[in-house]
Amino acid sequence: MNQNHNSPARGRFEDKGFYIILFLCIAAVGIAGYVLFSEPKTNDDTLQGYEYSSDESVTTGQADESVEIPEQTAAQTEEPEDASDSAQEDAPEERSEATAGGTDEEDAETAAPASAVRPVEGKVLRGYSDSELTYDETMEDWRAHIGTDYAATAGESVKAMLGGKVSAVTQDNLYGGCVRVTDGDTEILYAGLDKIAVSEGDTISAGDVLGTAAKTLPAEAALQTHIHVEMRQAGSTADPETLFIH
């Protein structure tokens, strides 16, 4: 009798125990899920400012250096540009100075050398003329005169106008004794000389005596005693008197 009476009650108790256990399992699963999904997640933002080494250890403090490196690179890139700009700004001035220097050198070549010496004491009898024709009293015609004739007295010392090397010593039927002196691209021929005092190959200075003035110069016999001087610069004839223009 007692067994039959307790069986339904025990069944209901066992049913309640099952549901209690089920509820506890569900609660445990819910708690576990909450705990699992509520843990802080590591995302890309968390990794900013860290650098992973080869042994997978995390090293802090590298972010600042990695940020500064581009700034340093930019500064280093800008400096050559500044230097280049400065060089470009200075270049025209340097070119201007170089151009000015070249002009000064050209002016120095045009101006008379400080050491130029007059060959004799006399005046110019007939000047240089390479394009305009002048009257030649000896030949009695009009012609160019590519030299300068200086009045002299027979036997007067004839001096070198510029220093240089004696490149030739000759005797000419029309111009008498001739001495040619070369200095760089400048060449001076002295004609109408007598008693020549230098030899080919000699190195002389301005003012050194080349010889004496001859009494006559056949090619220009109509003129009084004189010497004939011709000058060439860089292969072109030039007026010897320009040596004395300051």
Side-chain angles (χ1 to χ4, degrees):
M1 295 292 291
N2 292 335
Q3 292 178 352
N4 294 332
H5 181 267
N6 293 333
S7 294
R10 187 173 60 179
R12 288 193 298 273
F13 178 77
E14 289 176 353
D15 291 338
K16 291 181 180 180
F18 171 78
Y19 287 111
I20 291 172
I21 293 173
L22 179 60
F23 174 79
L24 292 176
C25 290
I26 293 172
V29 171
I31 293 171
Y34 174 79
V35 172
L36 177 63
F37 290 102
S38 65
E39 290 180 354
K41 295 182 179 180
T42 301
N43 52 32
D44 294 338
D45 295 337
T46 307
L47 295 178
Q48 293 181 358
Y50 294 84
E51 179 179 344
Y52 284 89
S53 61
S54 59
D55 60 357
E56 298 183 356
S57 62
V58 179
T59 305
T60 61
Q62 300 297 326
D64 293 339
E65 295 181 1
S66 63
V67 172
E68 294 177 357
I69 289 174
E71 296 178 357
Q72 294 175 356
T73 304
Q76 293 173 355
T77 305
E78 293 175 359
E79 290 178 1
E81 293 178 359
D82 294 342
S84 176
D85 294 341
S86 176
Q88 292 177 355
E89 293 176 359
D90 294 340
E93 297 179 0
E94 293 176 358
R95 286 194 294 269
S96 298
E97 293 175 1
T99 303
T103 302
D104 291 339
E105 291 176 1
E106 292 174 1
D107 292 342
E109 291 177 359
T110 304
S115 59
V117 174
R118 287 199 170 275
V120 290
E121 298 296 329
K123 64 180 181 179
V124 174
L125 294 178
R126 186 181 178 192
Y128 169 86
S129 176
D130 64 338
S131 57
E132 183 178 353
L133 300 181
T134 61
Y135 185 71
D136 188 314
E137 296 180 5
T138 303
M139 306 304 291
E140 296 181 348
D141 62 6
W142 294 81
R143 61 179 62 196
H145 188 243
I146 59 172
T148 301
D149 296 334
Y150 294 95
T153 58
E156 179 181 353
S157 295
V158 178
K159 301 176 182 178
M161 301 171 75
L162 295 176
K165 184 176 182 179
V166 178
S167 54
V169 176
T170 60
Q171 287 288 333
D172 187 86
N173 292 332
L174 294 177
Y175 286 92
C178 299
V179 174
R180 191 183 305 271
V181 179
T182 304
D183 181 24
D185 62 356
T186 300
E187 181 181 83
I188 301 178
L189 171 68
Y190 305 85
L193 304 185
D194 189 17
K195 298 179 180 178
I196 295 175
V198 295
S199 300
E200 185 175 339
D202 290 350
T203 299
I204 61 172
S205 301
D208 285 355
V209 175
L210 303 176
T212 61
K215 185 176 181 179
T216 60
L217 197 161
E220 298 174 333
L223 296 177
Q224 68 182 74
T225 300
H226 69 283
I227 63 170
H228 176 87
V229 179
E230 294 182 6
M231 181 170 75
R232 291 181 179 272
Q233 292 181 321
S236 300
T237 62
D239 186 356
E241 280 294 288
T242 58
L243 296 177
F244 308 106
I245 299 176
H246 295 278

